[in-house]
Each structure stands twice: as C-alpha cells, then as structure tokens.
Amino acid sequence: MEAVFYLSSLIAITATALAITRLHAVHALLFLIVSLLALAILFFVIGAPFAAALEVIIYAGAIMVLFVFAIMMLNLGKQAMEWERRLLSPRIWVLPAILTLVLFAELAYLIAIRRGGAWSEFEPVLPAEVGALLFGPYLLGVEMAAFLLMAGLVGAYHIGRREKKQLHRYLKEEEQ
Amino acid sequence: MTPTFIEQGMLLAAVLFCLGLAGLLIRRNIIFMLLSVEIMLNAAGLAFILGGARWGSADGQAMFIFILAMAAAEVSVGLALILKIFQKYKTLDTDEINRMNG
C-alpha cells in the first residue's frame, strides 16, 4: 500500500515534468495521460474509487481526446503522413508504455491483495454517498455546473463556426 | 499513519501545481499553456480528494466532480479559440498574437 502510494506519486511527478518539457504536443499528451492514470491509482488507494474512475474516463479519456483532435486538426497538411510515421517509432512511445505498465502492475497488486482482506487504511467513500451528497446539499452546485457545461457547449459551437463571407449587398451572398 | 499520507499527498499536489505553473510560464505554445492549466486544475482536484479522504467524507469527491465539469467546459472553449486563432494567424506562438486588436 505504501509502496503503491509512493510509486504512483513518483510516476505522476516524472510524467508531468516530462510532459511540460516535450517539444511535440502529442508526446506531451502521452506523458500527461500517464500522469493522470497515476493520479487515478492514487485516488483509488486513498479511498476514492469513484473519483478514480472519473479521472480515467473523463480526464484521461474525454478531455485528452479533445486535445488530440485539436492537434490533429491543426496538423492537416502534406507532411501529416510523414509525421504519423515518425510518431509510431518505438523511441517515442516506449517510456510512456513502461510507466503505464508499472501502473498496471500496481493495479494488479492492489486487486490481488484485496482478496486477502483490508488493503488500505482509508475507508473507501462509495459512489452512493457522493451521489446522495450531490443531489442533496449540493443540488444548486450541480445545476450551476450544468449551466456552465451548456454555456461551454454553446460557446464552443459559436466560436468554432465558420463565418459567412459578407459581400456587398447587391452582390450575391456566398457561403464559404 | 493516515495523516502522514495526507501530508505527503498534499506535497504531491503542491509539486504538481508548481509544475503546471512552471509549464504555463516557460512555454510559449498556446496548446502547452492550456495543458499546463489542466495540470494545475488536476492538482487542485487531488487536494480536494485528499481532504475528503482525511475526514472520510464524500465532499471532496463532490468538489472534484465540479472541478472536472469546469475543466471540460474550459477545454472545449479554449480549444475552439485555439483553432480559430490558428486559422486566422497561422501560428500558435503567444508572442506573435499578443495584441487583442491585431
């Protein structure tokens, strides 16, 4: 349990430090995902399984995929194929893969010792309690978060929309 | 045993936050700056979870969910802005696009 805690912390710090110093955005994203997975293990160890699942699904899944999409959209060009080929060379993915394997070993270890009995000093706070709290005292906060997400959606749509090219009013209006 | 873990976890959160701040200050690529903001938000979430774990309550995780929702909204608007900036200026360097009415 202690070993898992410290190892995950170490991986999180290493991966984050590597992420902010990479020159290529996709490499940085790879390391950032490793860092998020390490934090998810950490959450799991300190008794927050629901937060750990959300960290993997939403942070490492949805938000990082959004970043990848944006970077891919910025890179549409002739050299895209060449770039893709370089991306697949082992030198780039081998370090994140090793870190992720260590995390996977930690997870397997946690599951293995779970069968024996208690595996953490922390009493896990289960999703049911979180849900009861969210839809009880924090209901207003949940609704405000919903407003925020709606505003984010509308704002992103509005900003990302292609503008109509306005010609003179006597000329024919053209769609771009 | 438990308070030691919490202390060290808070230290980890502080280190991650500082790494995110350092990334925000040293990078000039706007995508990296957005990534650094994500790292800082995530460190704040870690601090909330640790606080919740210390007292065995679910409030920390509820706050983490709010932070998550905020991060998602922020990233979607931020990336839309970045795409727009790239279409207009053909660069992602913030030193090139530092004028509001350029």
Side-chain angles (χ1 to χ4, degrees):
Chain A
M1 150 79 194
E2 288 90 354
V4 170
F5 185 90
Y6 291 122
L7 203 55
S8 306
S9 312
L10 206 63
I11 289 177
I13 291 175
T14 314
T16 310
L18 285 170
I20 62 169
T21 50
R22 290 307 93 181
L23 290 180
H24 202 292
V26 173
H27 306 172
L29 275 178
L30 221 51
F31 279 111
L32 193 58
I33 288 171
V34 173
S35 159
L36 294 174
L37 292 178
L39 278 187
I41 295 268
L42 209 67
F43 289 168
F44 190 64
V45 167
I46 62 175
F50 187 47
L54 284 182
E55 177 95 2
V56 174
I57 296 169
I58 298 183
Y59 248 118
I63 295 182
M64 291 302 130
V65 166
L66 212 59
F67 267 104
V68 171
F69 267 131
I71 292 167
M72 297 286 170
M73 281 171 84
L74 296 179
N75 263 300
L76 283 179
K78 277 164 274 165
Q79 78 281 30
M81 288 264 285
E82 182 62 29
W83 178 71
E84 198 100 21
R85 183 135 40 83
R86 263 189 292 125
L87 213 59
L88 288 176
S89 77
R91 197 168 53 80
I92 285 158
W93 53 259
V94 93
L95 189 54
I98 289 171
L99 291 177
T100 316
L101 275 180
V102 173
L103 286 174
F104 181 70
E106 284 181 13
L107 191 63
Y109 169 74
L110 281 176
I111 291 170
I113 62 171
R114 171 84 164 136
R115 257 182 222 135
W119 50 277
S120 166
E121 289 87 8
F122 292 94
E123 195 64 33
V125 179
L126 296 176
E129 292 173 52
V130 183
L133 202 65
L134 276 178
F135 288 98
Y138 285 130
L139 187 58
L140 195 62
V142 172
E143 290 187 3
M144 280 160 64
F147 271 122
L148 185 68
L149 284 174
M150 189 70 204
L153 178 69
V154 174
Y157 174 73
H158 180 74
I159 293 167
R161 201 176 44 175
R162 285 189 184 276
E163 286 164 30
K164 244 192 255 173
K165 198 195 260 176
Q166 287 289 341
L167 298 174
H168 194 270
R169 62 197 152 144
Y170 291 132
L171 296 173
K172 207 177 150 201
E173 206 174 72
E174 268 182 28
E175 300 247 356
Q176 212 176 12
Chain B
M1 198 56 187
T2 307
T4 328
F5 270 129
I6 299 298
E7 267 175 28
Q8 281 154 356
M10 284 293 181
L11 208 59
L12 172 67
V15 168
L16 287 181
F17 190 88
C18 289
L19 280 174
L21 189 60
L24 187 64
L25 292 177
I26 62 174
R27 300 308 296 254
R28 278 293 158 265
N29 186 324
I30 198 163
I31 284 187
F32 278 93
M33 296 171 85
L34 202 58
L35 272 180
S36 304
V37 172
E38 286 306 302
I39 294 171
M40 286 156 72
L41 281 175
N42 204 33
L46 173 64
F48 269 112
I49 296 270
L50 284 163
R54 171 69 181 86
W55 305 108
S57 80
D59 295 71
Q61 293 187 49
M63 281 299 159
F64 179 73
I65 290 171
F66 291 148
I67 289 179
L68 211 62
M70 198 200 68
E74 178 238 327
V75 162
S76 62
V77 175
L79 285 175
L81 278 172
I82 287 175
L83 287 179
K84 210 66 181 170
I85 286 170
F86 189 72
Q87 279 172 15
K88 191 163 180 185
Y89 296 97
K90 304 288 174 225
T91 178
L92 290 176
D93 190 345
T94 45
D95 285 339
E96 303 285 324
I97 46 178
N98 55 3
R99 258 168 285 164
M100 290 195 81
N101 211 1

